[in-house]
Amino acid sequence: MKAEERWRARFRAPRMTLPQFAAKAPNRAIYQSNASGSWEIYAWDRSTGAFHQVTDRPNGTRYAVLDPVGQWIWWFADTDGNEWGQWMRQPFDGGPDENAISAVTSEDMVSGHPMGIGLSSVGTAAIGLARPGGGFQVLHVQPGEAPTVVYEHAEAAYVTAMSPDGALILIDHSEHGDALHPALRVIRPNGTTVGDLHDGPGKGLLGVRFSPIAGDRRLLALHERRGRREPLLWDPLTGDQREVWLRDPGEVTADWFQDGRSLLIVRQHRGRTRLHRYDLGGGGMTPIETPHGVIEAAAARHDGTVEYAWSNSSHPPMIRSSAGHVVMNPAGPSAPPSVPVEDLDVDGPGGRIHTLVSRPERGNAPYPTVFLLHGGPTAQDDDSFLPAVAAWVDHGFAVVRVNYRGSTGYGSAWRDALHGDVGHIELADLTAVREHVVAGGLADPERLVIAGGSWGGYLTLLALGVQPKTWAAGIAAVPIADHVATYEDETEGLRAYQRALLGGSPEDVPERYASSSPITYVDQVAAPVLVLAGENDPRCPIRQVQNYIARLAARGHDHEVYRFDAGHGSLVVAERIEQMAAQLDFARKRLRLTGMSGRPA
């Protein structure tokens, strides 16, 4: 297979998410797959092996959940990726879609931006919605009846779970004004509060779900009382708490085993994942053998086995079982492999920076190099299989991915370090890594490309303005270009996040919004720029991107714009390929590279 065909084949290869099974009907499951050409929802009857496609929409479907008894598949219907819409549902065995809140005639009451959903075994639901200027609501839905508003607040709130019997609803909220460090509240379907848990300033709590055992009111959450996220069991009726102490390093998430007596511990450390079973009775922790790499999701089955979605940088994704077999992969050719990733640790202004490096198989250092910045900022780069990284490598680029301050996976202090000088802190870490790889002979200082999507796109535009002599080209996908205009147009949930990150609204701290906004420095940009923007993006809205582009155009600066009819990224495979091709073509032309080796023309 030729190199050009190889990178496109990675995008086209069918992929799927970890199947989500019904707690009371474990042979019924749903998953998301790109097999149809866009990411859609599928139902899978494990007892017969039969599966069918549930949704079929021009721009794909992002959110879906299966109820605990396996009767209904709930999915969120937005318009062209704008993340505004309503919850629909379809019978598991197929049939017409219906509005999940069918007893309601007022569309205004059931439409909004999704803020979580919880489903019970008795058919009831708790739905979180956010609306511009209307704050956040939680609706309790009883089949055949009009929904009732059981929670409402101006600050961000998210429905995390509903108890199996429908008696309790778990909400992550930020009534205290800090959406970065939420608190927990458990309420009844009539809106009365059962329990509150708040760990104070700078220490968030994230709900996971209630115990799977009937009559057990304990819920599993994650706390960060010791500088990282760790499991916590909480009984909201009695107030009893139990912290699960873990010795191994790394960030931790957790879930229940179906017997309610053990926890599935998912530990992320230095861009890789390990699984363990923690016995709540004796406190012992048993490793679950998995291949070296990254586990995107994991779940414990009723027979005690664990299924997980796995990949590493050189091996395409697979759905595997701790029993030692492949559970299911979509039909079709698998993605061609890529190169393994290398770890690099660089001393930076805030501490050691973990960085991942992918080298091309051909050519010699120093290489043309793309610094590919992750979104979030509360996310991380890891050892998972990424077609975009492999595409750059196939074209002769080294790829450097920096887990700058603000990234998850390295403790609470590292994640929370952005307060004050947002954007510039991340770029200080980027500078330390860039200087290291240039001095070490990996990266050619005359052929450095900076690129990223979402928060990574934001950092790209900011870097082009405040470090104009450093970069040969910049590629920003769905970026924040102007924090003020973004705040005016984005969703309520992201406004709450932005207030927490920047210390207030644009009216409260205008100097911080200006200092952190790429548009402030747009007249200093020297490198050619490619901007990719979604017409219906609710997270990094199109207007503020247009404002930035207009400033570039006004001074005749070398730039290109790629606009696409979707939201914050596309769920359509062909569109993703076109966007990747546009980025590769832009970089090669601006750096005057030819062929797949990255050599000068």
Side-chain angles (χ1 to χ4, degrees), residues 45 134 162 223 245 268 292 307 310 322 368 411 426 450 460 525-526 564:
D45 187 333
M162 198 174 198
H223 72 86
W245 291 64
Q268 295 179 332
H292 186 70
E307 295 178 351
W310 170 89
S322 61
E426 302 96 297
I450 185 168
T460 294
V525 174
F564 56 96

Side-chain angles (χ1 to χ4, degrees), residues 159-226:
V159 174
T160 301
M162 198 174 198
S163 62
D165 61 4
L168 300 174
I169 301 167
L170 173 59
I171 300 170
D172 293 9
H173 72 85
S174 55
E175 291 182 8
H176 53 290
D178 182 1
L180 299 179
H181 303 95
L184 299 180
R185 176 167 298 165
V186 174
I187 64 174
R188 298 191 187 278
N190 61 8
T192 60
T193 297
V194 174
D196 276 306
L197 195 59
H198 181 208
D199 277 352
K203 295 180 179 180
L205 291 158
L206 294 179
V208 179
R209 67 184 177 105
F210 289 92
S211 167
I213 304 303
D216 185 354
R217 299 300 191 187
R218 293 176 304 164
L219 62 85
L220 176 62
L222 300 173
H223 72 86
E224 45 188 335
R225 297 168 182 174
R226 289 184 291 275

Side-chain angles (χ1 to χ4, degrees), residues 258-534:
Q258 298 304 314
D259 60 8
R261 296 194 295 267
S262 302
L263 297 180
L264 175 59
I265 304 296
V266 184
R267 182 172 64 88
Q268 295 179 332
H269 182 55
R270 292 180 59 79
R272 282 86 180 179
T273 315
R274 292 289 182 267
L275 299 181
H276 295 80
R277 179 171 185 151
Y278 181 87
D279 177 30
L280 291 171
M285 194 159 75
T286 306
I288 299 172
E289 186 175 349
T290 59
H292 186 70
V294 175
I295 293 169
E296 298 289 347
R301 296 280 294 168
H302 287 71
D303 62 1
T305 60
V306 175
E307 295 178 351
Y308 55 93
W310 170 89
S311 73
N312 64 29
S313 57
S314 59
H315 195 289
M318 302 175 68
I319 308 297
R320 303 175 64 99
S321 169
S322 61
H325 61 270
V326 174
V327 176
M328 180 187 184
N329 281 323
S334 62
S338 187
V339 299
V341 75
E342 304 169 20
D343 293 273
L344 181 66
D345 292 290
V346 177
D347 289 329
R352 183 153 291 189
I353 308 161
H354 181 220
T355 300
L356 301 173
V357 176
S358 302
R359 297 174 184 257
E361 294 181 299
R362 294 179 295 174
N364 300 309
Y367 305 103
T369 300
V370 57
F371 286 76
L372 194 58
L373 307 181
H374 69 70
T378 52
Q380 66 169 307
D381 281 311
D382 57 27
D383 189 20
S384 57
F385 187 84
L386 296 175
V389 172
W392 284 110
V393 171
D394 282 350
H395 282 75
F397 286 82
V399 179
V400 178
R401 293 179 290 151
V402 181
N403 280 317
Y404 50 76
R405 279 172 287 175
S407 303
T408 57
Y410 305 91
S412 301
W414 189 263
R415 183 201 67 211
D416 291 344
L418 300 189
H419 291 291
D421 205 13
V422 172
H424 301 280
I425 291 174
E426 302 96 297
L427 294 186
D429 291 346
L430 177 64
T431 296
V433 174
R434 174 180 54 77
E435 292 175 348
H436 182 93
V437 296
V438 168
L442 171 73
D444 182 344
E446 302 301 319
R447 297 183 294 170
L448 300 180
V449 178
I450 185 168
S454 193
W455 196 263
Y458 155 62
L459 293 178
T460 294
L461 295 184
L462 186 65
L464 293 172
V466 301
Q467 302 171 349
K469 297 181 179 180
T470 298
W471 307 103
I475 302 172
V478 291
I480 294 174
D482 179 355
H483 278 296
V484 175
T486 296
Y487 186 88
E488 292 170 350
D489 295 350
E490 67 188 345
T491 67
E492 287 297 308
L494 288 173
R495 285 184 182 180
Y497 182 91
Q498 211 166 358
R499 290 194 299 270
L501 190 64
L502 290 167
S505 69
E507 292 75 20
D508 298 327
V509 285
E511 70 288 347
R512 291 188 180 178
Y513 278 74
S515 175
S516 294
S517 289
I519 201 167
T520 301
Y521 313 97
V522 65
D523 291 337
Q524 298 168 210
V525 174
V529 187
L530 169 64
V531 178
L532 300 93

